[in-house]
Amino acid sequence: MNNKRITLLGLGTIGQVVFDELVASTNGAWQLAWVVVKHPERHQTVLLPTGAQLTTDWRRAVEDPTVDVVIELIGGIGVAKEAVTSALLHGKQVITANKDLVATAGTELDRLAELYGGALTYEAAVAGGIPIIRTINEGLAPDRIRRVSGILNGTSNYILTAIDQEGLSFDAALKEAQAKGFAEANPIKDVTGIDHLSPRLFAAAKEWGLKIKLLASTWESRGQLNYQVAPVALNPSHPLYQVDGVTNAVVIDSDLVGTSTYLGPGAGGKATANSVLADLASLSRGEQLTGSSACLRIENGRPLTKQRYLVVNPTGLPTGLQFSDRHATSALTPALTPTDLQRLRATNPGLETLALGE
């Protein structure tokens, strides 16, 4: 087991937990070399271990030739991307919890890791404290995965749960989430996709015994990778129906295991820090997640081509289709293509629709 010298970028909520665990650890496999912060005056009381230095100069800390691992916990895609790119260009192993960075530049950074002999790991950037990347890469390695679906945003799930269970408006649910520390002051990245849902849709979903969730899904069909991220209405038999509050969950359908479900905290310093430290432990054992095993490349992704929908028409039952499942102003459609749905909307001005997650 090789001794790893570490540069830690960021000493916020997650960074502080990682720092404390590294300092408290008796594991001789790693040594903290640098801690990079933006406002050093806020960290004057930090007790650094012997040999470690506190700095604002990320470049010096990242490009130090004695450093093996860079842990990026500053967030955003500005300085964070510069620092991670520099680390990978210097052949470092990088651990990040940065969702924005992985989503917008994951493939690019993964290629740098492969080209320059480094590593890019990001268990902490996916599903909070659920070790889902490791489960897929290791636990399900012999299996053939057909579909992955998940509730991957604790903020949006908390808001949707509050609307459904407490009868709150969207604005009230968002304020409650912010007051409890589950949502940022600027929540745009967490609520985009659910902020347009009307009270009528929630009322109709409740009438049908459905729950609205923001679901990310990817699946294989005829040799092609399909994907969708959208609010959907789930029925009680769905494995994610009971996943409420800030909890994250992932459902995997595969040939050998069948359907398996993984639940855990979707946010929080300790849960996310655990994922960071798990990646560090893997790197210390000589394991590296590089190349295609680390960052999935979607070449021909496409959304669902045929779905059932919950439809709500404030003026009465929608016209233009025969509905076997219907109430006074809402109905469950048969499977529709995007063209079918467009025609239905054209003949029913004001129609609201929500896909069924089945």
Side-chain angles (χ1 to χ4, degrees):
M1 186 178 290
N2 297 324
N3 183 281
K4 301 284 186 182
R5 281 177 56 81
I6 300 166
T7 286
L8 174 62
L9 303 177
L11 207 55
T13 302
I14 302 168
Q16 186 65 59
V17 178
V18 171
F19 173 85
D20 292 342
E21 292 297 319
L22 290 176
V23 171
S25 174
T26 58
N27 190 335
W30 51 66
Q31 176 187 355
L32 190 59
W34 296 93
V35 178
V36 180
V37 297
K38 186 176 182 180
H39 302 286
E41 68 277 4
R42 299 178 185 175
H43 306 285
Q44 294 303 309
T45 59
V46 172
L47 298 177
L48 294 170
T50 302
Q53 299 182 62
L54 185 74
T55 183
T56 59
D57 187 352
W58 68 260
R59 195 173 297 279
R60 181 185 177 196
V62 166
E63 297 177 4
D64 179 344
T66 70
V67 165
D68 305 290
V69 179
V70 174
I71 301 177
E72 185 279 302
L73 301 175
I74 56 180
I77 53 175
V79 173
K81 185 178 179 182
E82 288 185 66
V84 169
T85 299
S86 177
L88 294 173
L89 286 172
H90 285 80
K92 313 288 188 184
Q93 298 170 320
V94 175
I95 300 169
T96 181
N98 193 329
K99 294 180 181 181
D100 283 351
L101 186 62
V102 173
T104 59
T107 299
E108 171 191 343
L109 296 173
D110 181 59
R111 286 171 179 161
L112 288 179
E114 191 171 12
L115 184 62
Y116 289 91
L120 175 67
T121 67
Y122 50 87
E123 185 72 72
V126 183
I130 305 173
I132 197 63
I133 301 297
R134 186 162 286 99
T135 297
I136 290 173
N137 282 344
E138 298 176 12
L140 296 176
D143 211 339
R144 183 177 181 85
I145 295 174
R146 299 295 182 175
R147 185 182 185 97
V148 180
S149 299
I151 294 173
L152 302 177
N153 188 294
T155 300
S156 64
N157 202 48
Y158 181 89
I159 291 171
L160 292 172
T161 300
I163 294 173
D164 175 61
Q165 296 184 359
E166 301 175 39
L168 299 183
S169 67
F170 174 84
D171 289 340
L174 172 57
K175 288 180 181 178
E176 183 175 282
Q178 289 172 322
K180 293 184 176 182
F182 299 146
E184 301 289 343
N186 181 358
I188 186 66
K189 292 180 180 178
D190 289 315
V191 301
T192 298
I194 65 170
D195 53 349
H196 68 285
L197 300 172
S198 75
R200 281 194 298 268
L201 271 175
F202 282 97
K206 203 171 189 70
E207 185 181 23
W208 284 96
L210 306 171
K211 283 187 179 180
I212 299 176
K213 301 291 183 183
L214 183 63
L215 208 63
S217 301
T218 182
W219 66 99
E220 180 190 29
S221 177
R222 298 178 182 176
Q224 194 165 29
L225 189 64
N226 305 269
Y227 61 88
Q228 175 175 275
V229 180
V232 297
L234 302 182
N235 63 54
S237 64
H238 196 284
L240 300 178
Y241 181 86
Q242 298 289 357
V243 178
D244 294 326
V246 294
T247 302
N248 277 192
V250 179
V251 176
I252 298 177
D253 293 315
S254 58
D255 288 353
L256 297 179
V257 175
T259 299
S260 52
T261 305
Y262 309 85
L263 290 89
K270 291 184 178 180
T272 307
N274 180 74
S275 294
V276 170
L277 295 168
D279 276 346
L280 179 59
S282 293
L283 293 176
S284 297
R285 292 192 298 267
E287 302 169 12
Q288 291 192 7
L289 298 177
T290 60
S292 58
S293 65
C295 194
L296 181 64
R297 296 176 176 86
I298 299 178
E299 302 293 348
N300 296 300
R302 60 181 182 181
L304 277 170
T305 55
K306 212 166 187 180
Q307 285 182 278
R308 296 185 70 206
Y309 292 87
L310 167 66
V311 295
V312 182
N313 191 6
T315 60
L317 191 67
T319 61
L321 277 178
Q322 294 294 322
F323 299 102
S324 57
D325 299 315
R326 59 187 183 181
H327 290 162
T329 60
S330 65
L332 304 181
T333 73
L336 302 178
T337 65
T339 301
D340 295 332
L341 183 62
Q342 189 175 10
R343 290 197 192 103
L344 187 63
R345 286 172 173 163
T347 56
N348 295 272
L351 186 71
E352 298 180 72
T353 63
L354 190 63
L356 298 183
E358 298 177 306

